[in-house]
Amino acid sequence: MSPGAEFFVRIWGARGSIACPGPEFVRYGGNTACLEIRCGNRVFILDAGTGLRNLGLMLDKSGPVDADILFTHSHLDHLGGLPFFTSAFKKGNVFRVWSGHLGGRASMRDVVARLMSSPLFPVPLEIFQAELEFNDFVSGDTLAFGPDISVRTTSLNHPQGAVGYRFDYGGKSICYITDTEHRPGEPDQNILELVQDADVMIYDACYTDEEFPKFVGWGHSTWQEGIRLADAAGVKKLVLFHHDPSHTDEKMDEILHQADERRPGTIAAYEGLKITP
């Protein structure tokens, strides 16, 4: 990593399942999944939940945008912000879209086109003026973005599939592991291998262990499992993510307090949070 080159992740949406506006969701935010990762001059966007709208408004202030958008999967809480992404409406911007969860069942372009079609949406995908390039990969591939940036991928346990990512840049690492359901007492080897010795792991902490039995099959995990995985893999910083829509600020404060007691330094993601490994 060259001197002065930044490597960080910023949270634009940390909520899971559905956006949650209202006074009970102020501190952690109500927008759904969207992250910004910067590796020097390269811009990466992970997932396109409703948090993407505010990210787009920020990007528009800095001139032409050239970025890669990586999807974990295409459920609505990770896709629904794309039709409202102002940067995609601007000629001269370039976005390369990556997905590895569909397994040949469809293309990501087809998925977005279906979302932006009648009677679901008033204007089609072609309304975007930015250059969009859609790329498919196979989960497990390593994506190379130039000589200095490595992005490893793995499959996650989620209905219809999902992908976890690990960014390595300048000797540091950031992992994004969301929408995955663990099996109690059986650490997920795919995840353990991907996040081994990572500096930062952003993890699906949708439920508590006490809530989990009611939601088996829904495709999500718990903050306690996040701690178990982080400890087993030697992760330095654990970030709880994909907060359940029933978890108000008060409930999140309680979860964060318990998590910090179990693993000091644990963070609960909130909108605007910037983490530098």
Side-chain angles (χ1 to χ4, degrees):
M1 186 161 56
S2 59
E6 279 197 288
F7 183 35
F8 68 81
V9 57
R10 181 157 32 214
I11 309 294
W12 291 90
R15 190 65 54 176
S17 303
I18 189 170
C20 299
E24 294 180 302
F25 305 97
V26 172
R27 290 196 296 279
Y28 298 89
N31 280 305
T32 60
C34 182
L35 309 181
E36 168 198 3
I37 290 182
R38 300 268 181 159
C39 301
N41 294 325
R42 291 294 296 263
V43 180
F44 296 90
I45 298 167
L46 278 71
D47 282 331
T50 59
L52 182 65
R53 179 179 177 275
N54 287 333
L55 173 54
L57 295 175
M58 185 277 290
L59 291 173
D60 291 343
K61 296 176 182 178
S62 58
V65 183
D66 185 299
D68 294 89
I69 303 174
L70 285 67
F71 281 96
T72 57
H73 64 305
S74 48
H75 289 162
L76 277 176
D77 53 332
H78 295 250
L79 178 64
L82 194 58
F84 305 94
F85 183 38
T86 54
S87 301
F89 288 85
K90 297 186 182 299
K91 196 173 184 64
N93 289 346
V94 178
F95 296 100
R96 291 164 297 277
V97 180
W98 301 84
S99 58
H101 65 286
L102 292 167
R105 300 185 301 273
S107 72
M108 199 63 195
R109 184 183 183 90
D110 291 340
V111 171
V112 176
R114 286 167 60 191
L115 175 68
M116 297 179 66
S117 65
S118 178
L120 301 175
F121 202 72
V123 293
L125 172 61
E126 288 71 24
I127 196 72
F128 288 151
Q129 295 298 300
E131 178 183 337
L132 294 177
E133 173 192 303
F134 288 85
N135 303 278
D136 295 317
F137 64 88
V138 176
S139 183
D141 286 351
T142 296
L143 311 177
F145 296 95
D148 302 324
I149 305 169
S150 172
V151 180
R152 292 166 53 194
T153 69
T154 197
S155 297
L156 302 178
N157 182 29
H158 193 66
Q160 296 153 1
V163 175
Y165 293 95
R166 175 182 177 131
F167 282 73
D168 284 289
Y169 179 66
K172 298 289 186 178
S173 54
I174 296 172
C175 298
Y176 180 46
I177 310 295
T178 190
D179 290 65
T180 189
E181 182 172 319
H182 68 280
R183 295 179 177 86
E186 298 179 32
D188 190 313
Q189 294 302 311
N190 286 344
I191 295 174
L192 284 176
E193 290 176 13
L194 190 73
V195 306
Q196 185 68 44
D197 299 321
D199 292 285
V200 177
M201 180 176 76
I202 299 165
Y203 185 76
D204 178 353
C206 191
Y207 307 126
T208 67
D209 275 357
E210 294 72 29
E211 293 169 332
F212 179 77
K214 295 183 293 185
F215 299 103
V216 171
W218 288 46
H220 297 289
S221 191
T222 70
W223 66 263
Q224 290 100 329
E225 184 67 13
I227 287 177
R228 289 188 284 267
L229 287 169
D231 287 348
V235 170
K236 294 180 179 64
K237 177 71 70 175
L238 172 63
V239 183
L240 310 180
F241 188 77
H242 204 279
H243 311 318
D244 189 78
S246 71
H247 289 174
T248 62
D249 286 341
E250 184 177 357
K251 178 64 174 180
M252 287 305 307
D253 287 345
E254 177 187 324
I255 287 172
L256 179 57
H257 176 72
Q258 293 176 14
D260 187 63
E261 283 190 332
R262 285 268 301 272
R263 195 174 208 267
T266 297
I267 299 172
Y270 58 87
E271 291 174 31
L273 173 66
K274 177 181 176 182
I275 305 166
T276 302

